[in-house]
């Protein structure tokens, strides 16, 4: 069956055009109270305001002309002119029995997310990019996109020149260092770089040597990459993300394209030399003091920074991967950077498809400040996830603790508007009540247990109780919610929807006995439970959260 909202909207729009000459969008919204039906529109108020007519008079004319008897009870008018629509039980039943499905939309989307840095352990700051990016990839795939995941690992640039130079100065063998050892090496090299101008110059030259392909330098660098990726894979496995080693396309992958980036920008007259560096100065981008802000494409020492790499990545994603849409899941601090990169790429003629920066806020500790260890350092992601699993063991059986703990962390991240900061509170995250991952997982497990005691039934036929109707109505909104998330790239909208479904399910349990009911009512309620279980399972899966059958 066609989606209820589009069908209702189309019919109301046609009537508005026939009666008043303009195809107004009814902007149907779910009613806030049962006495106002299932949907409500303020269309009459908007038309009345535009034409200078009394809204209730406009509403009466619209209601008189509407032909909705095959879908709804007779429309009613409330207040100053709101039109209320109540769907027929058989309309709801059919919509639940024949849920809409997605087909390919022929669009390819490249999603850039996670982006840890080589030689550093993943920390809580990488949690949001990985969890949000993974959920968006799942949703976009489900919605019919051909999704290409890209893990733009930081493996190129000044810090690797510093580390290699420090390693050589200390006479260390690269093979002797694991990821923790590499991180300590980075910390030493950073201090050395900041304190010693000669070392800093040598480190910068080492970057140029690295980018030029020197065998010894490349071999040391490759060991750093291999050790790091092995550790990243362990974190991804624990987190249950869809990222694979084949999705890793680090900054280094674009090295050979960087001279061409410079050449083409220079030929178009987009580069200016500034203190030996080649920069693009774009109209409208200024610092706080009013001075022009540059995009530094090639540094004064001949090396390339991440702006050049990002420009090369844009070219690759458009020309080679043939993206119809590009999504970057990177924290809000990079907003200006991406605005400038996208503007320069469009000016150069390299970017002719939508490119979206999916920004997100900061993970905060209980004190409301950025989440840190007691010593003030960054929190390692693997340790944080292990803590979540251990905390879940206190509230659930051991065999599902991993699913519950990891799911709790993911849901807490995804359920808040990604633009906001949020407080990392494990006790709240693993709670079995409220808008939490475990609450939704338990709703799924409870349905699984109930359905294991019932005969199979897939046909909803009786929706006499308002609690049944409310649950059925919510189930019909799953496809529209997924479409909305695919369009807006805001996964919290799916979380809110699933929480509404689980809450309606709880009311349904209280008011509508399932196994103790009889005949057609029992069969219909079992079918409604089956449909609800599928929506919860599919929805949690899109968020990257397991749906255990028992808790």
């Amino acid at each position: 069956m066609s989606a209820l909202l589009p069908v209702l909207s189309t019919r109301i729009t046609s009537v508005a055009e026939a009666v008043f000459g303009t195809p107004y969008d009814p902007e149907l919204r779910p009613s806030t109270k049962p006495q106002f039906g299932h949907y409500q529109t303020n269309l009459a108020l908007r038309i009345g305001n535009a034409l200078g007519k009394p809204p209730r008079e406009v509403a009466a004319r619209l209601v008189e002309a509407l032909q909705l008897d095959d879908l709804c009870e007779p429309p009613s008018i409330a207040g100053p002119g709101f039109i209320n629509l109540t769907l027929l039980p058989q309309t709801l039943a059919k919509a639940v029995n024949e849920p809409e499905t997605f087909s390919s939309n022929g669009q390819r989307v490249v999603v850039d997310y996670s982006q840890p840095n080589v030689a550093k352990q993943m920390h809580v700051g990488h949690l949001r990019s990985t969890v949000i990016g993974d959920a968006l990839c799942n949703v976009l795939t489900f919605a019919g996109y051909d999704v290409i995941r890209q893990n733009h690992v930081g493996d190129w640039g000044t810090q690797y020149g510093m580390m290699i130079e420090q390693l050589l100065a200390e006479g260390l063998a690269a093979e002797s260092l694991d990821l923790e050892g590499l991180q300590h090496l980075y910390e030493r090299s950073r201090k050395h770089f900041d304190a010693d101008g000669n070392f800093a110059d040598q480190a910068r030259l080492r970057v140029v040597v690295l980018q030029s392909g020197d065998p010894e330098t490349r071999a040391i660098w490759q060991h750093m990459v291999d050790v790091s990726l092995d550790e990243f894979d362990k974190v991804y496995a624990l987190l249950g993300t869809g990222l694979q080693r084949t999705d890793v396309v680090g900054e280094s992958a674009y090295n050979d394209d960087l001279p061409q980036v410079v050449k083409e920008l220079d030929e178009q007259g987009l580069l200016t030399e500034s203190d030996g560096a080649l920069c693009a100065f774009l109209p409208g981008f200024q610092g706080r003091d009013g001075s022009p802000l540059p995009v530094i494409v090639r540094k004064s020492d001949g090396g390339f920074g991440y702006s050049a790499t990002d420009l090369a990545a844009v070219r690759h994603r458009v020309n080679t991967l043939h993206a119809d849409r590009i999504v970057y899941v990177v924290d809000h601090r990079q907003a200006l950077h991406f605005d400038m990169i996208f503007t320069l790429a469009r000016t150069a003629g390299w970017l002719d498809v939508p490119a979206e920066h999916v920004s997100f806020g900061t993970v905060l500790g209980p004190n409301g400040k950025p989440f840190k260890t007691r010593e003030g350092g960054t929190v390692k992601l693997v340790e944080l996830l292990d803590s979540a699993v251990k905390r879940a063991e206190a509230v659930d059986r051991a065999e599902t603790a991993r699913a519950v703990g990891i799911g709790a962390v993911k849901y807490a991240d995804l359920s808040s508007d990604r633009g906001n900061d949020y407080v990392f509170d494990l006790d709240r995250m693993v709670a079995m009540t409220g808008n939490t991952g475990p609450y939704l997982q338990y709703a799924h497990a409870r349905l699984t247990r109930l359905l294991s005691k019932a005969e199979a039934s897939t046909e909803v036929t009786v929706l006499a109780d308002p609690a049944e109707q409310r649950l059925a109505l919510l189930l019909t909104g799953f496809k529209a919610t997924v479409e909305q998330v695919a369009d807006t790239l805001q996964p919290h909208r799916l979380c809110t929807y699933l929480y509404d479904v689980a809450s309606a399910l709880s009311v349904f349990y209280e008011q509508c006995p399932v196994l103790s009911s009889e005949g057609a009512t029992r069969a219909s309620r079992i079918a409604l439970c089956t449909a609800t279980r599928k929506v919860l399972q599919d929805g949690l899966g899109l968020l990257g959260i397991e749906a255990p059958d028992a808790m």
Side-chain angles (χ1 to χ4, degrees):
M1 170 174 194
S2 298
L4 294 175
L5 271 180
V7 172
L8 292 172
S9 295
T10 299
R11 293 197 192 180
I12 297 171
T13 297
S14 298
V15 166
E17 184 174 20
V19 176
F20 295 104
T22 304
Y24 291 89
D25 180 354
E27 298 180 7
L28 287 169
R29 297 287 185 270
S31 299
T32 55
K33 296 181 179 178
Q35 61 265 36
F36 297 144
H38 296 132
Y39 292 113
Q40 193 173 64
T41 175
N42 66 355
L43 178 59
L45 282 74
R46 287 185 280 121
I47 292 177
N49 183 58
L51 302 181
K53 296 179 179 293
R56 284 192 68 93
E57 178 185 313
V58 172
R61 292 182 63 185
L62 288 171
V63 166
E64 183 180 7
L66 280 172
Q67 296 293 322
L68 298 173
D69 355 352
D70 58 324
L71 299 175
C72 301
E73 294 178 5
S76 63
I77 302 172
F82 292 101
I83 298 175
N84 301 329
L85 302 175
T86 302
L87 296 167
L88 295 168
Q90 57 265 36
T91 302
L92 279 172
K94 187 174 183 181
V96 174
N97 294 333
E98 302 174 9
E100 291 184 282
T101 57
F102 288 94
S103 56
S104 172
N105 61 17
Q107 298 285 300
R108 172 171 288 178
V109 58
V110 173
V111 183
D112 179 337
Y113 70 108
S114 192
Q115 310 119 351
N117 288 319
V118 160
K120 293 183 181 178
Q121 300 196 49
M122 291 180 70
H123 54 76
V124 68
H126 295 111
L127 174 68
R128 300 214 71 184
S129 178
T130 306
V131 169
I132 294 170
D134 213 45
L136 291 179
C137 286
N138 296 338
V139 167
L140 290 164
T141 300
F142 197 83
Y145 284 88
D146 173 21
V147 175
I148 296 180
R149 302 170 189 247
Q150 297 277 272
N151 191 355
H152 191 76
V153 169
D155 63 354
W156 217 233
T158 303
Q159 76 176 63
Y160 304 103
M162 287 168 23
M163 293 176 65
I164 295 171
E165 200 65 27
Q166 183 71 28
L167 182 139
L168 293 173
E170 294 178 0
L172 293 175
E175 294 74 14
S176 67
L177 300 177
D178 58 11
L179 186 55
E180 187 172 0
L182 289 174
Q183 182 145 351
H184 292 321
L185 176 67
Y186 167 76
E187 292 164 359
R188 296 195 302 276
S189 69
R190 178 82 257 179
K191 291 178 181 178
H192 198 173
F193 184 91
D194 293 339
D196 185 341
N198 289 331
F199 177 80
D201 290 340
Q202 292 173 335
R204 293 189 185 99
L205 289 175
R206 180 65 62 177
V207 176
V208 177
V209 170
L210 170 64
Q211 294 176 345
S212 300
D214 173 67
E216 180 189 16
T217 304
R218 279 290 179 95
I220 296 171
W221 169 83
Q222 188 64 55
H223 173 75
M224 294 179 177
V225 171
D226 293 341
V227 168
S228 302
L229 294 184
D230 287 343
E231 291 301 314
F232 297 163
D233 285 344
K234 293 176 184 177
V235 177
Y236 292 143
L238 180 59
L239 198 54
T241 176
L243 277 175
Q244 304 295 323
R245 183 69 69 93
T246 52
D247 299 321
V248 173
V249 185
E251 294 173 324
S252 60
Y254 304 104
N255 185 60
D256 292 344
D257 296 332
L258 301 184
Q260 186 65 23
V261 167
V262 173
K263 180 174 181 292
E264 291 187 25
L265 291 176
D266 196 35
E267 288 175 347
Q268 295 186 53
L270 294 172
L271 295 182
T272 301
E273 184 175 337
S274 177
D275 295 330
L278 290 179
C279 305
F281 291 92
L282 303 168
F285 293 97
Q286 296 178 330
R288 292 181 180 178
D289 60 356
S291 61
L293 282 178
V295 177
I296 302 175
V297 182
R298 192 179 74 194
K299 296 185 288 186
S300 58
D301 60 9
F304 300 94
Y306 59 85
S307 289
T309 303
D310 281 340
L311 288 167
V314 168
R315 285 160 44 93
H316 174 73
R317 290 163 185 180
V318 173
N319 298 332
T320 304
L321 299 182
H322 305 295
D324 299 297
R325 182 183 185 185
I326 308 175
V327 173
Y328 293 77
V329 187
V330 185
D331 79 72
H332 63 90
R333 293 173 297 178
Q334 298 299 317
L336 177 61
H337 167 73
F338 282 114
D339 194 4
M340 296 176 75
I341 291 298
F342 296 160
T343 299
L344 180 54
R346 292 193 189 284
T347 303
W350 299 337
L351 182 62
D352 57 359
V353 300
E356 301 155 269
H357 174 207
V358 175
S359 63
F360 52 84
T362 304
V363 181
L364 305 177
N367 59 0
K369 297 180 179 180
F371 200 37
K372 300 285 186 180
T373 63
R374 291 181 180 178
E375 295 74 28
T378 55
V379 179
K380 296 175 183 176
L381 186 50
V382 66
E383 292 178 359
L384 181 148
L385 296 176
D386 285 339
S387 297
V389 173
K390 290 177 182 177
R391 193 66 55 92
E393 289 176 350
V395 297
D396 197 22
R397 62 184 71 186
E399 56 265 32
T400 57
R402 180 190 171 281
V404 173
I406 301 299
V409 171
K410 287 186 172 184
Y411 189 83
D413 193 299
L414 295 168
S415 59
S416 61
D417 187 318
R418 58 174 168 77
N420 298 333
D421 299 340
Y422 80 95
V423 175
F424 194 91
D425 182 345
L426 276 178
D427 288 331
R428 180 181 57 81
M429 290 176 179
V430 301
M432 299 293 288
T433 57
N435 188 10
T436 67
Y439 176 73
L440 295 183
Q441 290 173 314
Y442 179 71
H444 173 271
R446 188 178 180 187
L447 280 171
T448 301
R449 184 170 65 251
L450 181 150
L451 291 170
S452 69
K453 301 174 182 177
E455 66 282 2
S457 177
T458 57
E459 191 80 4
V460 177
T461 56
V462 180
L463 292 172
D465 193 285
E468 291 177 303
Q469 294 182 17
R470 167 68 177 160
L471 181 56
L473 180 64
L474 280 168
L475 296 183
T476 67
F478 180 63
K479 183 173 187 287
T481 301
V482 173
E483 289 174 334
Q484 187 181 52
V485 175
D487 181 49
T488 65
L489 305 178
Q490 295 177 322
H492 76 275
R493 296 176 182 270
L494 178 56
C495 295
T496 299
Y497 167 79
L498 294 175
Y499 177 63
D500 287 344
V501 170
S503 299
L505 175 66
S506 181
V507 175
F508 166 77
Y509 277 138
E510 293 174 5
Q511 300 181 9
C512 304
V514 179
L515 298 180
S516 61
S517 57
E518 299 178 350
T521 298
R522 173 186 168 95
S524 182
R525 288 177 177 172
I526 290 171
L528 186 60
C529 287
T530 301
T532 304
R533 180 181 181 273
K534 178 168 176 52
V535 164
L536 288 173
Q537 185 177 53
D538 288 349
L540 287 169
L542 293 180
L543 297 174
I545 296 172
E546 292 183 42
D549 287 341
M551 286 178 65

